[in-house]
Amino acid sequence: MATEARLLLLLFLTAAASAWEMNIRLPTERLAYGGGEAVVAPLIHALRPLLGFGGQLAARAGVACDSWRLAVEAHNVFGWKKVPASCEGYVGHYMLGGHYHRDSPSSSTRPSPTLKLAGNGKEIWVFDIDETSLSNLPYFAKHGFRTTLYNDTCFREYVAEGSTLALPETRRLYRRLLQLGVKPVFLTSRTEDERNITVTNLRRQGYSGWMKLLLKPAVHTAGELLGSAVAFKSGERQKLEDAGFTIVGNIGDQWSDILGAPEGARTFKLPDPLYYIG
Ligand SMILES: *[C@@H]1O[C@H](CO)[C@@H](O)[C@H](O)[C@H]1NC(C)=O
Ligand SMILES: *[C@@H]1O[C@H](CO)[C@@H](O)[C@H](O)[C@H]1NC(C)=O
């Protein structure tokens, strides 16, 4: 009896402890998910109603859409132009419901203890921008989570507002690396004409102290040639290595961010069910 009572008490305490843990963890998660900033959180929150009855839709369409998303991430489907219409709710909930953030690099890219640094001031970490350092989720949420055809003009207008949000997990990694003496380099398919607004947007979202911001030289054109992102990005990484820097890490949401030598000592692929850039 006494043993049973102790067991019950233990079970009760364990349950209470995990409830307590959940209670203290939840607000943090909400904060991180909302960008950790009061200005950002209401915006994400405001996007949720756009999903309407998406919860039920997502549940119904769940399995097939789940497979579709995996196939996209693994690059088993490619050349697609739209997210299947039946998956709008699923993708929306994936992006806004916390799953996307849990799949982001907060745990997998924690730089220590596996990262061995020389601390010679020549170590850099390459960050992609869109859907890596900054998130265009407000845009995509307003445009059906890519269930409609991509409109480059419309998207560039949104980028020009400089109002994209930080991905909190990436920003955390970025700041940690700065503390460790690793210099951040942004490498993006955004173009030189977008430099000023990109700088403004990065600063607004709490990024500072980067070593370089590398953008594509030409004015952005829709329908870029396949492979051009890989060629541009690997070329820029080569120039950095030629200048004596060591790329200790490289993170992006596209395969074209992390393929093509020199890739960097460690590469990280973030989730992105919204678009694919070759
Ligand atoms: C794309 O967006 C622009 C700017 O918002 C708009 O003027 C144009 O009609 C759109 N094009 C298509 C094909 O929807
Ligand atoms: C970008 O900012 C710089 C410095 O603030 C300014 O001199 C330049 O004219 C700006 N370029 C554009 C395209 O707005």
Side-chain angles (χ1 to χ4, degrees):
M1 196 63 197
T3 319
E4 262 179 44
R6 248 182 271 141
L7 187 64
L8 278 175
L9 181 66
L10 183 68
L11 282 175
F12 171 75
L13 286 177
T14 315
S18 33
W20 180 75
E21 250 180 54
M22 275 172 72
N23 278 339
I24 56 160
R25 220 184 294 134
L26 265 176
T28 326
E29 205 172 86
R30 282 209 198 108
L31 264 183
Y33 159 55
E37 280 160 34
V39 227
V40 171
L43 183 49
I44 289 284
H45 189 70
L47 296 173
R48 282 169 166 271
L50 290 179
L51 292 170
F53 295 106
Q56 288 154 31
L57 271 176
R60 240 181 286 146
V63 175
C65 295
D66 211 17
S67 302
W68 179 84
R69 181 169 62 85
L70 179 64
V72 167
E73 295 295 357
H75 195 204
N76 292 334
V77 290
F78 47 92
W80 53 277
K81 300 254 185 284
K82 293 195 271 187
V83 168
S86 60
C87 294
E88 179 177 355
Y90 171 83
V91 173
H93 279 268
Y94 172 76
M95 297 303 287
L96 297 177
H99 194 164
Y100 172 60
H101 287 279
R102 285 196 297 279
D103 285 347
S104 289
S106 52
S107 51
S108 61
T109 54
R110 204 164 281 148
S112 58
T114 46
L115 185 66
K116 299 268 180 288
L117 295 173
N120 58 7
K122 287 292 208 177
E123 290 164 318
I124 59 174
W125 192 290
V126 177
F127 288 85
D128 169 53
I129 293 186
D130 291 292
E131 270 55 64
T132 300
S133 304
L134 298 174
S135 165
N136 299 301
L137 203 39
Y139 175 86
F140 290 115
K142 278 181 202 135
H143 292 85
F145 294 101
R146 285 303 316 279
T147 51
T148 54
L149 272 184
Y150 174 68
N151 181 332
D152 195 63
T153 312
C154 197
F155 182 68
R156 299 321 327 161
E157 282 169 7
Y158 165 76
V159 167
E161 291 168 13
S163 61
T164 68
L165 309 175
L167 265 164
E169 293 80 9
T170 306
R171 189 175 52 193
R172 204 176 305 136
L173 171 72
Y174 178 100
R175 289 175 175 167
R176 179 80 188 109
L177 288 165
L178 270 179
Q179 287 169 353
L180 291 170
V182 177
K183 298 184 163 112
V185 170
F186 288 114
L187 176 54
T188 174
S189 289
R190 287 188 180 196
T191 46
E192 276 298 341
D193 54 314
E194 294 169 322
R195 177 178 288 276
N196 284 5
I197 197 60
T198 301
V199 168
T200 304
N201 201 155
L202 285 167
R203 291 211 176 111
R204 272 183 195 155
Q205 290 298 314
Y207 289 99
S208 60
W210 56 84
M211 186 184 91
K212 273 178 192 292
L213 166 58
L214 301 168
L215 303 106
K216 272 190 162 177
V219 167
H220 185 91
T221 49
E224 286 165 334
L225 288 176
L226 196 71
S228 65
V230 175
F232 166 66
K233 293 197 166 185
S234 59
E236 291 302 311
R237 288 194 300 273
Q238 185 63 58
K239 284 186 214 162
L240 289 164
E241 294 228 323
D242 291 346
F245 293 103
T246 307
I247 303 168
V248 296
N250 176 14
I251 187 166
D253 65 298
Q254 298 292 320
W255 287 105
S256 53
D257 295 326
I258 57 175
L259 294 178
E263 296 87 354
R266 185 76 171 81
T267 56
F268 298 93
K269 165 79 173 69
L270 270 71
D272 188 351
L274 296 174
Y275 58 88
Y276 175 83
I277 298 173

